[in-house]
Amino acid sequence: MQKVPIFENQPLAPLTTWKIGGPAQFLAAPRDLEDVYALMGLAYDRGWPLFFLGRGSNVLIADDGLPGLTLHLAKSLQKLEHQGETLRAGAGVALPRLARQAAGLGFSGFEFLAGIPGTVGGAVRLNAGAEGKNLAGVLRRVWVATPQLQLLEFQAGELGLGYRSSLLLSFPHWLVVEAEFALETPAPPQAIEEKMRQLLAARKARFPANPRSCGSVFKNPADSPAAGALIDQTGFKGRRLGDALVSRKHANFILNQGRATAGQVKGLIADIQETVWRTRGVALEREVVFLPDDLV
Ligand SMILES: Cc1cc2nc3c(=O)[nH]c(=O)nc-3n(C[C@H](O)[C@H](O)[C@H](O)COP(=O)(O)OP(=O)(O)OC[C@H]3O[C@@H](n4cnc5c(N)ncnc54)[C@H](O)[C@@H]3O)c2cc1C
């Protein structure tokens, strides 16, 4: 029996960092695993497409919105428990909260997460990282709910975690429910907090002030200059399509300067990919997820 309220025709743009995109046909926020199963079962029974949204910091939602049911997880699955030498975090836990919790317990290794504005679920899915570190370095186990309403458990080593990739990308209807992190490197909390402050200050200096972005649009290609450098070299800094603007400070960021549409952002992305391919021979791969396009 499904008890969670389901809202019809709900705007999704406010639930994303880009503040772009149309409405969800149906939107619900499961509180716990029981709710997740009930909602997944309902979507299956009705034949509705199913989408997941964490803090919306790595998605571009289409201007027409999303058909079917979207599960909003930013305020769901908030468990964060210290168990022996591990931290167990629900999928909805914000990464900065996870970093602060580890610091408070006196464990280093999570500082790089302090500036990433996503959830544990979104981060596990693509092995989020920064400052040369990524989630794989601290992740131990993951629990995933499937559309067949099974709960699968994976060791981190089974997930094929690589640079902004994991096997979970091939299973878009698997919902990361919980993750277990290893607390391995004791350090004084004050020293960890100081390191986090320094990392956050360095990010602030490097990244644009406008928070309406998805962070890096493209992955850094292997054996080539970074995506931002390639985009800069091809003259895209400051390029604008409507209210979508390639940042002058960091060319791998596209900013919403007001009322940018998903169509405008996609137009800029396609222009960049085409030009970088033609002039530099490098195929830039998107890090940002297009919804629904990438998941149907
Ligand atoms: C200013 C800024 C800076 C950023 N810096 C970094 C950085 O340094 N490093 C980095 O790696 N990323 C960075 N990002 C990108 C983003 O924060 C990360 O990718 C983050 O992990 C996304 O989490 P989310 O909860 O926002 O996911 P969302 O954007 O909500 O979703 C992303 C994808 O994950 C899926 N998803 C979400 N939750 C779940 C779940 N529980 N189970 C299964 N699938 C799920 C969604 O369906 C979608 O396909 C940055 C973004 C911004 C805006």
Side-chain angles (χ1 to χ4, degrees):
M1 235 328 242
Q2 170 289 117
K3 296 162 286 176
V4 197
I6 298 180
F7 300 96
E8 204 171 338
N9 197 26
Q10 289 298 301
L12 288 174
L15 306 183
T16 72
T17 49
W18 242 332
K19 310 294 177 210
I20 292 176
Q25 185 181 1
F26 300 111
L27 181 69
R31 292 154 302 190
D32 50 27
L33 188 55
E34 198 187 328
D35 287 351
V36 166
Y37 281 143
L39 290 163
M40 282 177 126
L42 183 75
Y44 183 80
D45 289 345
R46 305 262 168 108
W48 290 339
L50 181 64
F51 298 96
F52 309 135
L53 192 62
R55 288 166 80 95
S57 62
N58 200 31
V59 288
L60 181 65
I61 292 176
D63 295 317
D64 288 343
L66 300 182
L69 179 62
T70 299
L71 302 189
H72 186 221
L73 301 155
K75 294 186 182 148
S76 316
L77 305 168
Q78 291 293 323
K79 168 175 151 178
L80 185 54
E81 275 177 18
H82 179 202
Q83 297 179 2
E85 292 167 350
T86 66
L87 249 184
R88 285 276 282 265
V93 169
L95 298 171
R97 184 176 159 218
L98 177 66
R100 282 196 308 274
Q101 179 83 353
L105 292 167
F107 286 93
S108 178
F110 295 73
E111 297 86 333
F112 71 100
L113 295 172
I116 306 181
T119 60
V120 163
V124 166
R125 187 176 168 278
L126 53 43
N127 190 21
E131 332 300 336
K133 301 214 157 58
N134 54 45
L135 219 60
V138 284
L139 190 64
R140 190 177 271 184
R141 278 192 292 176
V142 173
W143 288 265
V144 170
T146 73
Q148 292 74 33
L149 310 188
Q150 291 170 300
L151 189 66
L152 307 180
E153 180 185 326
F154 294 98
Q155 301 296 317
E158 296 175 300
L159 289 174
L161 298 166
Y163 169 67
R164 302 296 180 275
S165 73
S166 85
L167 296 178
L168 296 175
L169 294 178
S170 307
F171 298 94
H173 296 112
W174 285 8
L175 180 86
V176 175
V177 171
E178 205 165 301
E180 183 182 75
F181 298 93
L183 298 171
E184 281 175 343
T185 316
Q190 276 172 337
I192 303 171
E193 269 152 30
E194 178 52 29
K195 196 168 157 191
M196 284 201 291
R197 258 194 301 279
Q198 285 172 8
L199 287 177
L200 288 173
R203 284 173 71 91
K204 198 170 168 200
R206 253 189 355 259
F207 294 164
N210 180 352
R212 294 178 165 209
S213 80
C214 72
S216 293
V217 172
F218 300 102
K219 298 182 186 185
N220 285 322
D223 308 322
S224 139
L230 288 168
I231 299 166
D232 188 5
Q233 286 160 15
T234 40
F236 270 94
K237 266 191 178 169
R239 186 76 64 92
R240 200 175 178 123
L241 196 54
D243 273 349
L245 174 78
V246 178
S247 166
R248 290 181 191 281
K249 196 162 179 186
H250 192 312
N252 202 4
F253 278 56
I254 294 180
L255 308 174
N256 176 4
Q257 296 291 93
R259 293 170 171 242
T261 63
Q264 289 163 352
V265 173
K266 285 179 184 176
L268 268 183
I269 288 176
D271 270 3
I272 290 170
Q273 283 175 315
E274 198 266 330
T275 308
V276 170
W277 170 248
R278 194 166 32 79
T279 61
R280 314 291 305 209
V282 178
L284 284 180
E285 193 186 333
R286 266 192 286 117
E287 179 173 324
V288 68
V289 182
F290 286 177
L291 293 181
D293 320 26
D294 289 348
L295 299 195
V296 289

